[in-house]
Amino acid sequence: GGMGAVYRARDPRLNRDVAIKVLTRAAGDADRQRRFTEEAQAASALNHPNIVTVYDVGVQDGIPYIVSELVDGESVRQRLARGPFPVREVLDFAVQIADGLAAAHAARIVHRDVKPENVMVTRDAHVKVLDFGLALVGAPDGFSDPGATQTQTGVIVGTVPYMSPEQARGATVDHRTDQFSLGLTLYEMLTGQRAFRRDSSAQTLSAIIEDEPDPIARLNPRVPPPLRWTIDRCLAKDPRQRYDSTADLARELRTLRDRLAEFAPAEAPSVAAPRRWSWRGLYGAAALVTAAFALGAFIRRPDDGRSLDGYRFTPFATEAGYQSQAAWSPDGNTLAYIAGVDGVLQVFTRVVGSPGRAQVTHVRFDCQQVFWAPDGARLYYVSLAKTREGLWSVSSVGGEPELILENVWRAAISPDSKTLALLRSLDVDYGGVKSVWLSSPPGSTPTRYTQGSFGERKFFEGTVSFTPDGSRIGAWLTEVPRSDGRVRPQFWVLPLQGGVPHTVPAPSPNMPNYAATFSWLPDSRHIISALPLPRPGVHLWLTDTEGETSRLITSSGNIENDPATSPDGKRLAMTFQQADYDVYRISLEHPVPEVVIATARNEMDPTWSSAASQMAFTTDRSGVDEIWLRSQTGDFERPIVTPADFRSSETFLLSSPTFSPDGQRIAFYREGSDGNRIWMSPTSGGPPVELFRAENGQDLPAWSPDGVWIAYPQDAAGVIGQWSLVKSRVGAKSVPIVIVPEITPYTPVKWARSGDWIAFNGVDGLTIVSPDGK
């Protein structure tokens, strides 16, 4: 560096390699040499695993030197040359740096020059902070180092881009100056760029004192908010707003590191998974049922309705709350399934015919998609692993779960136990676009399935399963839309040894988007799928994947989901799902919610007219989604928008009604076979009108206070998963105006009553913007 040179040397007495730093610049100045010796001796008293140990200090021929342990590794600066660090690694290193600084601060020693060059990382990821006690070592007057600044006496007090504001002003510093420099170092590790980068030292110093750095969330959206807040606190201009004690900072970083999985999104927040119309059913109660049936009758006599007479439905898991996703053990005697315990979904097993259940997992995050190893000794399931979903395995009698692979959303195992089929993201950072991968043997690095033209396709979601004979993989997959923006699930048959992947026609060409579940029958030819046809609800269909015909085999008025066929093909387990949402009112005077509408069906999305004389809401009380109007007193209710209003295409979902300011019209979201758009209807009755016909998906409308505009989120054309905030003039044919190019997908939008601001969820959090976008 500017102050001298570092040599690798051998200590013959203790037989070890050491580093010797020689400070040529301080030669000949007795005052500086004395100060150097005092500082270095103080630093040598520090004994901490994250601080480089000082062995000896002295002056030889008027030249000060310092002998310290030799660190075998590279500096954070050298690592940064390869780009930003992963969040988990930054937290691992941050905890170690803060621990070292806290130990020094407890001994009343301040580093004053924390920066990427002074943090070393060993080969086994151990962090060592260098150069304690050197920051204030002198240099001759007139000496200039472009990275360093001096006081009038020529004393270097730090490196310009990593100084605290109080250092930059030449004020007195305490331990909190190191917190600021640590914040700058962590900022750079997460974003790959300096927080205060200006053309000259003077401009940089001015920026440190005056300016705010670019928000981390914009530069790296994957950084969890609590870590951003901690760094922001370190970077407070006023030292009093930082941490009273660096030990507190270290403790906070350690908590973040240990609980990172809770803060990190399971799916990157900027990715829009297509909306599933049946989401209501997911949160209601669900009970598992087994049905015994003669499978042969279905396959042999596809048109004989009497085969339904052979059903016997038996409730299987009926505890309060949620049970679903059954999986048969290989011997057919036990079902594994998912059930909620204190708000977290865990894996359970229950022997068929037994009254008791056994809880297999006791983990902190939801378990999903459970299935058995072919030998029956272990269970696999999907749950959070670090920052995203991963595949775990656990003994079928319980015990400690083991992480098999990260970045797994769905999985299945081959009957010979040799191969895992996986649905996983295409790259590390983008959770939205997935494809099918194989891991053989299970747990080894996955390879993408690319037979035929299948490898070029990208999917939002799906389910996968091997045929019982192990020759093929079946998969319901929802492909990323290409041209018309419509999202359609398809069933794929993927051969493992040669052959061309092909799709099997769905029962309806207009099937709404749905994460379909399915189960192979023992003949490796037929499947039973849960599909959102016919409306309402979700029902079980039997499909011949070779003859390509389908027929409905169960149809209650509700949701039958997650079919699982027993190994002998004689029994079927399934989930019966029910939900019942009601509308409540709450006021500032009466904080206890009071019921406004309660039926045995769903009432949702309530919205008042401005005069509060009417309320609109959505309901499925007549079997399909409708929007109803109700007087404030409740003495009348009537439907104002129903699927019958849209004769030319099928309606899958009506939601998000909102009144115009004068109460004469209602805007709402409709998902249909012709696209997902905003419509408007007169409250007095009459045909609905589209706001603006576009291929882009639209959502969640908000009126301007003068009723002239509607603002809403719209998916950005051609950019998968990106949404924009736009406004469209009511009744005009002009193209909508983009106000904010990138926002969080599916974000509600609110227009302030003054008309001056629009609130929405931006990529940096809750944001307001003027309607002109400025």
Side-chain angles (χ1 to χ4, degrees):
M3 296 191 296
V6 182
Y7 299 95
R8 183 186 187 118
R10 185 83 180 160
D11 178 345
R13 288 169 308 167
L14 295 176
N15 212 13
R16 63 185 171 193
D17 284 348
V18 296
I20 297 183
K21 187 157 197 165
V22 178
L23 294 150
T24 50
R25 307 280 184 190
D29 184 322
D31 197 39
R32 286 195 190 134
Q33 290 175 14
R34 181 182 51 74
R35 190 167 60 236
F36 155 72
T37 308
E38 287 169 1
E39 297 254 348
Q41 282 169 339
S44 69
L46 294 173
N47 180 13
H48 191 276
N50 298 121
I51 296 175
V52 168
T53 307
V54 174
Y55 296 138
D56 189 20
V57 295
V59 178
Q60 175 89 32
D61 299 332
I63 297 173
Y65 66 88
I66 184 163
V67 183
S68 60
E69 79 176 288
L70 186 70
V71 180
D72 181 18
E74 60 180 347
S75 69
V76 168
R77 167 65 64 226
Q78 290 165 308
R79 268 291 310 273
L80 273 167
R82 303 198 290 274
F85 293 58
V87 171
R88 175 161 293 277
E89 204 172 21
V90 170
L91 274 165
D92 279 338
F93 293 168
V95 168
Q96 296 182 61
I97 303 168
D99 275 345
L101 291 174
H105 296 163
R108 302 197 167 179
I109 297 173
V110 181
H111 191 293
R112 301 189 200 80
D113 198 18
V114 177
K115 57 185 176 181
E117 288 79 358
N118 278 340
V119 179
M120 297 290 290
V121 181
T122 66
R123 294 177 192 279
D124 56 359
H126 197 76
V127 168
K128 298 270 189 182
V129 183
L130 303 177
D131 281 3
F132 261 97
L134 292 192
L136 270 184
V137 173
D141 294 319
F143 159 68
S144 170
D145 172 345
T149 188
Q150 303 156 13
T151 61
Q152 271 73 29
T153 57
V155 177
I156 297 172
V157 293
T159 309
V160 168
Y162 301 96
M163 282 196 177
S164 64
E166 57 270 31
Q167 273 178 304
R169 285 197 300 268
T172 51
V173 300
D174 62 11
H175 63 280
R176 290 171 298 197
T177 189
D178 287 350
Q179 295 175 10
F180 191 93
S181 302
L182 172 59
L184 292 176
T185 302
L186 299 180
Y187 180 102
E188 192 164 343
M189 291 167 76
L190 288 166
T191 65
Q193 68 183 52
R194 284 181 182 170
F196 299 106
R197 190 174 199 115
R198 303 292 187 268
D199 293 339
S200 70
S201 293
Q203 289 170 312
T204 303
L205 290 172
S206 163
I208 288 170
I209 294 167
E210 302 288 342
D211 298 350
E212 294 297 331
D214 284 345
I216 293 174
R218 191 154 70 226
L219 302 172
N220 183 354
R222 298 192 70 81
V223 179
L227 176 54
R228 300 202 310 257
W229 303 332
T230 299
I231 294 173
D232 287 347
R233 187 168 165 191
C234 288
L235 294 181
K237 302 290 188 201
D238 181 347
R240 291 171 299 186
Q241 292 175 356
R242 295 175 216 149
Y243 291 83
D244 290 336
S245 129
T246 306
D248 290 344
L249 168 60
R251 197 174 299 119
E252 194 161 299
L253 287 166
R254 182 172 273 104
T255 303
L256 286 175
R257 181 193 68 187
D258 296 344
R259 303 180 69 169
L260 176 61
E262 295 173 46
F263 303 123
E267 185 151 335
S270 59
V271 175
R275 187 194 275 252
R276 302 186 196 112
W277 71 268
S278 68
W279 60 274
R280 302 169 167 182
L282 298 179
Y283 299 105
L288 285 172
V289 168
T290 57
F293 63 98
L295 184 64
F298 279 132
I299 295 172
R300 285 195 304 276
R301 304 197 301 271
D303 297 317
D304 182 357
R306 285 177 306 170
S307 56
L308 290 172
D309 300 345
Y311 272 127
R312 275 199 329 279
F313 285 98
T314 312
F316 178 75
T318 55
E319 291 82 7
Y322 183 87
Q323 290 82 218
S324 73
Q325 303 173 34
W328 292 89
S329 61
D331 63 10
N333 293 331
T334 306
L335 280 173
Y337 60 97
I338 301 294
V341 181
D342 296 330
V344 179
L345 300 180
Q346 306 283 4
V347 175
F348 285 80
T349 57
R350 185 194 294 255
V351 175
V352 176
S354 150
R357 63 179 187 172
Q359 185 171 342
V360 179
T361 61
H362 297 78
V363 293
R364 285 166 51 201
F365 303 105
D366 285 347
C367 302
Q368 303 270 12
Q369 322 302 325
V370 63
F371 59 95
W372 294 78
D375 63 3
R378 294 191 77 75
L379 289 161
Y380 292 88
Y381 63 93
V382 171
S383 185
L384 207 61
K386 297 191 178 170
T387 61
R388 54 170 64 240
E389 302 297 297
L391 182 66
W392 297 76
S393 113
V394 65
S395 163
S396 55
V397 294
E400 193 63 31
E402 174 192 355
L403 178 61
I404 305 297
L405 281 168
E406 289 182 56
N407 180 15
V408 176
W409 303 85
R410 299 281 187 277
I413 195 164
S414 60
D416 63 6
S417 299
K418 289 180 179 171
T419 308
L420 283 169
L422 314 166
L423 194 67
R424 72 198 307 254
S425 298
L426 284 179
D427 61 55
V428 177
D429 290 324
Y430 194 48
V433 180
K434 305 176 181 74
S435 58
V436 176
W437 301 67
L438 301 176
S439 168
S440 185
S444 62
T445 304
T447 54
R448 194 166 166 194
Y449 180 95
T450 55
Q451 275 172 241
S453 62
F454 184 83
E456 297 153 25
R457 296 174 182 267
K458 298 172 181 173
F459 304 94
F460 272 125
E461 59 190 357
T463 45
V464 291
S465 181
F466 283 88
T467 53
D469 65 12
S471 66
R472 302 182 302 289
I473 295 168
W476 271 107
L477 295 166
T478 302
E479 195 163 359
V480 171
R482 288 193 244 200
S483 53
D484 64 354
R486 280 300 318 289
V487 179
R488 294 182 186 86
Q490 287 184 300
F491 188 79
W492 285 86
V493 178
L494 310 175
L496 289 168
Q497 304 296 330
V500 180
H502 68 277
T503 58
V504 177
S508 159
N510 258 349
M511 193 169 95
N513 174 42
Y514 182 72
T517 53
F518 75 100
S519 177
W520 285 101
L521 300 190
D523 63 2
S524 294
R525 171 172 172 168
H526 291 80
I527 57 168
I528 292 178
S529 306
L531 304 175
L533 303 165
R535 308 274 300 172
V538 174
H539 310 295
L540 301 189
W541 290 75
L542 178 78
T543 300
D544 178 350
T545 61
E546 292 170 28
E548 304 196 335
T549 56
S550 295
R551 58 173 299 215
L552 187 65
I553 60 169
T554 68
S555 183
S556 69
N558 252 322
I559 293 175
E560 307 106 49
N561 213 342
D562 303 324
T565 315
S566 62
D568 61 7
K570 292 183 176 168
R571 286 169 300 176
L572 180 71
M574 68 187 94
T575 310
F576 278 4
Q577 285 177 234
Q578 289 177 302
D580 175 15
Y581 284 81
D582 297 321
V583 174
Y584 287 77
R585 173 170 50 208
I586 191 165
S587 72
L588 297 176
E589 294 82 47
H590 305 286
V592 178
E594 50 179 309
V595 177
V596 178
I597 315 174
T599 70
R601 302 289 291 183
N602 291 302
E603 280 76 32
M604 304 174 75
D605 298 330
T607 179
W608 291 110
S609 66
S610 55
S613 58
Q614 293 182 315
M615 185 180 81
F617 60 95
T618 59
T619 178
D620 60 359
R621 60 179 69 176
S622 50
V624 291
D625 277 340
E626 297 176 336
I627 297 175
W628 284 49
L629 203 61
R630 169 192 171 97
S631 66
Q632 184 188 14
T633 53
D635 52 6
F636 85 88
E637 287 183 346
R638 62 181 172 86
I640 52 170
V641 183
T642 74
D645 294 322
F646 306 91
R647 299 196 179 281
S648 59
S649 63
E650 199 177 347
T651 299
F652 304 137
L653 178 71
L654 294 172
S655 74
S656 312
T658 177
F659 281 97
S660 61
D662 60 10
Q664 301 298 303
R665 288 164 296 177
I666 196 160
F668 57 92
Y669 169 82
R670 172 181 178 262
E671 195 168 307
S673 56
D674 57 348
N676 307 338
R677 284 192 289 282
I678 292 168
W679 293 69
M680 298 170 293
S681 283
T683 48
S684 56
V689 176
E690 282 174 300
L691 174 63
F692 181 81
R693 190 175 188 88
E695 293 300 345
N696 317 47
Q698 306 165 351
D699 204 351
L700 296 159
W703 293 84
S704 62
D706 59 10
V708 174
W709 298 90
I710 288 178
Y712 55 92
Q714 167 179 287
D715 70 349
V719 186
I720 305 275
Q722 183 175 323
W723 285 67
S724 306
L725 173 63
V726 302
K727 64 177 182 178
S728 201
R729 190 179 276 275
V730 176
K733 290 280 178 262
S734 51
V735 175
I737 297 165
V738 177
I739 304 172
V740 180
E742 189 173 0
I743 65 170
T744 303
Y746 305 119
T747 172
V749 174
K750 300 289 180 215
W751 206 309
R753 288 188 182 176
S754 65
D756 297 343
W757 297 100
I758 299 170
F760 64 96
N761 267 319
V763 289
D764 295 330
L766 183 62
T767 309
I768 59 173
V769 64
S770 57
D772 60 8
K774 291 178 180 168

